[in-house]
Amino acid sequence: MTVRIFALHSAEASLVLERTQYGVPLWRHFGARLDPSGLPSLATTRGPATFSLDDDVPFSTAPPAGLGWFGPPAVELSSGGIALTPVFTVKDLAATATELTLQLEDVLLRVRLEQRICVDPGGAFVFDAVLTNDGDTPVMVDWLASTLLPLPGSIGQLISWRGRHNAELVECVEALPEQRWVRAARRGIPGHGGPPCVIAADTASRHTGLAIGLQLAWSGDTRLAVERNDEGFWTLAAGAALLPGEIVLAPGDRYAAPTALVAVSSSGRNGVSAQQHQAVRGRMTWPGGLMRPRPVHLNSWEACYFDHDSGRMTALVEAAAAIGIERFVLDDGWFRGRRNDRAGLGDWTPDPEKYPAGLKPLADHVNALGMEFGLWVEPEMVNPDSDLCRAHPDWALALPGRQHPTGRHQLLLDLRRADVRDHVFTALDTLLRDLPIAYLKWDHNRDLAPAGGSAQVQGTYDVLARLRAAHPAVEIESCAGGGGRCDAGIAAFTHRFWASDNIDAVSRATMQRGFLAFLPPEMLGAHVGATPAHATGRRQSLGFRAAVALPGHFGVELDPRTLDDRDRTELIEWIGFYKTWRGVLHGGQVWLGDGADGLSWQAQGRAGEFLLFVTRAMPAQDRRPQLLPLPFMRGARDCDVMLLRIAGIAPTTCPPLFEAMRATPQRFTASWLTEAGLPLPPMHAESVGIFHIRVAV
């Protein structure tokens, strides 16, 4: 039998399929890069197995579930309450060096499945699946996998994240399951465990070994599953979790599963992150086409909550400008009837008591002081106590005959409806036309109950797309009670994520590492908050708070007028420090690692220039700090290293090397930094050492 091999290759990985004379292409390999030339057919390698069907059914891209394939299905269909059994054959196959498109059909059911796989310029594999009903009767889609993959035999661990409000992105490391592992989101948004993602790795190493990281580009309910079958290998499936009866394809209709971004790296988890960051960046559209330096924010929320008016905000704006803020964001509380979280959502006009002349005088004052003006909105929500809800009670997302459960005293607008989407767009479009708004903080402060399904998510995407088209210069932040909706799906319409309402620096140091596993640092909203932290009550030095926020999109979440002269001066210095180094911090690569005695570190940069952040959250247990190996320096030339700052409580004395390192760069060989490590100064708890590393010319 002639073996026809189709292969896609990234710099680090290969995807290999075999097309036989009949049937859907078979999986041969998905993992480390290799050369499949001369590969024998799969049929010649598979002998008879006990208690098996007479005709062998290997794993294909769309296996015939129920007719010999007993693993997870790629497609589940039904009609009239009866399950259908799709069996696909190849109608067409097109392949280039970077893309493979399969047109599969079931001639009996008259459904067509298109599977497209391409290699992203950043190295990730991008999977799309579209199902079309070519028949004469409706077909219900119960499941369509965005991708269904084999995992290499060396894989031994799964890394995922869970979380809740104010405690996002808690890392979980587990052994591969002996039966089935599922990560499901049922809240209508991805939730506070981060994007719908998982990493499968041969070890948990951040720097070496094979790792595969999958992220769904979807902002609704999802299901990721890893399953072991009795042949001894594991599969990874991912797709949108559909409500019963949600997707019914009339004749000629089609349903597209969310795009899956899959990174495969032999450089461990950091290699996966690099590919995922590039894939997400490729989905984004910056105003003007290119990312400009990320401006320093001041967000008004924790400075005053709902208690603000034109006089207080004018004073806050002036205090912000005086410390070097570049974008002032007016948070919740500005619109009609908004004294607390019980009223006003949906009525997007300025409150006449707080702002008798509207918001334009304040926005113009912000601009006159050299800052951009940003505004908080929560367009998908409505309070029962609002003019909008009183006029259109039927616009709330609800189940017929059931209660309307509230969350934060608010209901969801039914964005499945075109008239509701039109109203939301018009309200926001009016604001953006009437005011010099450069930035929208788009919030979403409750889980979806009822969920609304894929149509609700698509409704949100539709409004965002219309706004972006009408106002291409406006940037948008995605916030959902903090980090409830940070994902590659909504990244196509937004520019920044608010990772958590908890800005306690110790908490944030861990959360932000989880965020960076799949999303790039320039999208990470990270602010210097007040002390004690509003979410935890803990007190931390201003330097530690600033250093933890620095690697992301830096901002301030406090009233500068409440600072004493020393802290105010220090905050001004940190804002200047961020402006100096943001060009190095954003748009490049991120490496995360752990050092001895409880240290954690991250490096960010590109083209031979990096900033290294070494964080000590807890007190040291060792008498002296150990060297810190930096595997990302492997293969580089000699390096010049400067100690820029020790943020937090500085040591009372510093060894001579580090005093010299503060003044002039100290040279190390890259092999020393890689294998032995960077010498570190003594550091107290809640401190960060910030180093500048430049590869010598």
Side-chain angles (χ1 to χ4, degrees):
M1 180 184 297
T2 301
V3 181
R4 297 186 65 189
I5 294 296
F6 296 92
L8 296 177
H9 304 283
S10 69
E12 297 186 76
S14 296
L15 180 154
V16 182
L17 299 174
E18 175 185 340
R19 181 176 179 183
T20 58
Q21 185 176 359
Y22 308 102
V24 181
L26 306 176
W27 279 106
R28 298 302 306 272
H29 176 78
F30 187 61
R33 181 162 180 144
L34 48 69
D35 180 1
S37 299
L39 189 67
S41 70
L42 186 63
T44 66
T45 72
R46 291 171 64 88
T50 60
F51 207 74
S52 296
L53 299 180
D54 294 333
D55 291 328
D56 192 24
V57 184
F59 184 23
S60 70
T61 65
L67 284 175
W69 169 253
F70 301 108
V75 181
E76 292 182 276
L77 306 175
S78 60
S79 179
I82 299 173
L84 304 177
T85 304
V87 179
F88 293 103
T89 57
V90 176
K91 181 179 181 180
D92 191 26
L93 188 154
T96 68
T98 59
E99 184 173 322
L100 177 65
T101 301
L102 305 173
Q103 293 285 352
L104 311 177
E105 63 179 353
D106 183 319
V107 295
L108 179 63
L109 298 180
R110 297 179 66 189
V111 293
R112 178 163 36 94
L113 174 62
E114 178 180 308
Q115 295 178 317
R116 177 176 173 269
I117 311 167
C118 67
V119 181
D120 182 81
F125 292 86
V126 180
F127 292 81
D128 287 292
V130 180
L131 193 71
T132 303
N133 181 8
D134 291 330
D136 301 322
T137 58
V139 174
M140 184 180 298
V141 182
D142 300 310
W143 167 255
L144 175 59
S146 300
T147 188
L148 176 59
L149 302 167
L151 291 177
S154 63
I155 296 297
Q157 292 179 321
L158 297 177
I159 300 102
S160 62
W161 289 262
R162 61 176 177 81
R164 61 165 176 82
H165 179 242
N166 279 347
E168 286 87 345
L169 293 160
V170 178
E171 183 176 301
C172 308
V173 180
E174 306 166 76
L176 245 64
E178 288 302 316
Q179 296 190 51
R180 183 172 170 86
W181 173 96
V182 178
R183 184 187 192 272
R186 304 185 186 92
R187 299 172 179 270
I189 54 177
H192 292 78
C197 63
V198 66
I199 294 175
D202 55 5
T203 69
S205 171
R206 295 188 181 273
H207 317 291
T208 60
L210 181 65
I212 298 175
L214 181 148
Q215 173 178 199
L216 278 180
W218 185 239
S219 307
D221 290 344
T222 56
R223 186 169 77 242
L224 281 61
V226 175
E227 184 170 331
R228 188 184 195 275
N229 72 2
D230 63 0
E231 293 196 9
F233 67 88
W234 284 262
T235 58
L236 170 59
L242 303 176
L243 299 172
E246 176 184 351
I247 303 296
V248 178
L249 300 183
D253 283 354
R254 64 199 293 272
Y255 166 65
T259 294
L261 309 175
V262 186
V264 183
S265 177
S266 57
S267 301
R269 294 169 59 180
N270 283 329
V272 163
S273 296
Q275 293 179 27
Q276 288 284 349
H277 290 181
Q278 290 299 91
V280 172
R281 287 165 175 155
R283 298 176 61 82
M284 298 176 64
T285 305
W286 292 102
L290 294 174
M291 180 185 73
R292 63 190 176 94
R294 302 290 75 223
V296 181
H297 278 206
L298 188 142
N299 193 71
S300 71
W301 179 241
E302 288 197 6
C304 57
Y305 295 101
F306 295 109
D307 185 18
H308 56 86
D309 54 39
S310 59
R312 180 171 186 175
M313 279 303 154
T314 297
L316 184 60
V317 163
E318 292 171 351
I323 64 171
I325 297 298
E326 298 169 306
R327 177 185 284 157
F328 179 87
V329 182
L330 183 65
D331 209 289
D332 194 358
W334 60 268
F335 46 96
R336 190 169 68 252
R338 193 67 163 174
R339 301 293 181 272
N340 49 47
D341 61 7
R342 294 176 177 268
L345 280 178
D347 300 338
W348 300 111
T349 57
D351 187 277
E353 294 183 19
K354 295 181 178 183
Y355 298 98
L359 292 182
K360 194 167 189 310
L362 180 68
D364 287 344
H365 192 48
V366 169
N367 291 165
L369 292 172
M371 297 182 291
E372 297 174 358
F373 180 66
L375 191 65
W376 180 94
V377 291
E378 195 170 2
E380 298 159 83
M381 304 292 169
V382 63
N383 284 123
D385 184 4
S386 67
D387 292 344
L388 179 64
C389 197
R390 283 185 283 270
H392 298 282
D394 58 317
W395 282 9
L397 186 65
L399 296 176
R402 299 295 184 186
Q403 282 188 321
H404 290 38
T406 56
R408 201 179 181 238
H409 313 289
Q410 59 198 52
L411 297 168
L412 297 141
L413 288 173
D414 190 348
L415 294 181
R416 301 173 302 181
R417 296 176 51 155
D419 55 348
V420 177
R421 296 196 299 272
D422 288 344
H423 173 84
V424 172
F425 170 77
T426 299
L428 296 178
D429 180 64
T430 300
L431 282 171
L432 292 168
R433 292 184 187 280
D434 291 348
L435 296 168
I437 298 171
Y439 184 85
L440 282 179
K441 180 180 178 182
W442 183 300
D443 213 339
H444 185 291
N445 278 309
R446 59 160 291 180
D447 296 323
L448 277 70
S454 298
Q456 180 74 9
V457 179
Q458 294 290 359
T460 299
Y461 287 172
D462 176 74
V463 176
L464 283 165
R466 291 170 67 183
L467 280 175
R468 292 295 313 280
H471 304 278
V474 175
E475 293 187 14
I476 301 176
E477 173 181 317
S478 173
C479 175
R485 190 164 61 184
C486 302
D487 63 87
I490 209 162
F493 310 99
T494 57
H495 308 91
R496 190 182 201 252
F497 293 118
W498 186 231
S500 178
D501 286 340
N502 180 359
I503 46 180
D504 173 291
V506 172
S507 299
R508 270 298 189 116
T510 301
M511 290 177 194
Q512 292 176 182
R513 289 164 75 83
F515 179 99
L516 293 171
F518 282 87
L519 300 168
E522 58 268 22
M523 298 192 77
L524 169 60
H527 290 182
V528 180
T531 191
H534 291 198
T536 66
R538 289 191 291 206
R539 293 183 176 274
Q540 293 141 359
S541 69
L542 192 144
F544 182 62
R545 286 175 276 150
V548 169
L550 196 76
H553 182 175
F554 186 82
V556 175
E557 191 93 10
L558 53 78
D559 187 341
R561 296 171 297 167
T562 64
L563 301 176
D564 60 31
D565 289 344
R566 179 177 177 180
D567 279 353
R568 184 176 181 276
T569 298
E570 185 177 357
L571 180 57
I572 292 171
E573 291 175 353
W574 279 110
I575 290 171
F577 187 87
Y578 168 78
K579 292 176 181 178
T580 297
W581 295 106
R582 58 187 165 188
V584 174
L585 293 170
H586 298 155
Q589 192 166 344
V590 178
W591 296 266
L592 302 177
D594 299 291
D597 197 14
L599 288 178
S600 62
W601 63 267
Q602 68 188 73
Q604 294 175 212
R606 68 171 80 75
E609 185 178 18
F610 317 94
L611 283 195
L612 171 69
F613 298 82
V614 181
T615 301
R616 174 166 293 291
M618 303 300 291
Q621 301 300 307
D622 295 338
R623 187 188 300 271
R624 292 184 176 85
Q626 299 180 36
L627 299 177
L628 182 70
L630 301 174
F632 73 96
M633 297 304 304
R634 181 169 282 111
R637 296 186 297 274
D638 292 353
C639 301
D640 294 327
V641 183
M642 283 196 72
L643 174 58
L644 300 179
R645 294 193 175 194
I646 299 178
I649 302 173
T652 53
T653 60
C654 218
L657 170 66
F658 303 103
E659 295 296 346
M661 196 182 288
R662 291 177 190 268
T664 58
Q666 303 297 302
R667 179 154 296 189
F668 295 86
T669 64
S671 61
W672 180 271
L673 294 178
T674 301
E675 306 300 341
L678 177 69
L680 296 177
M683 294 168 57
H684 292 294
E686 297 185 0
S687 64
V688 182
I690 305 177
F691 298 83
H692 177 241
I693 302 176
R694 186 190 294 274
V695 177
V697 178

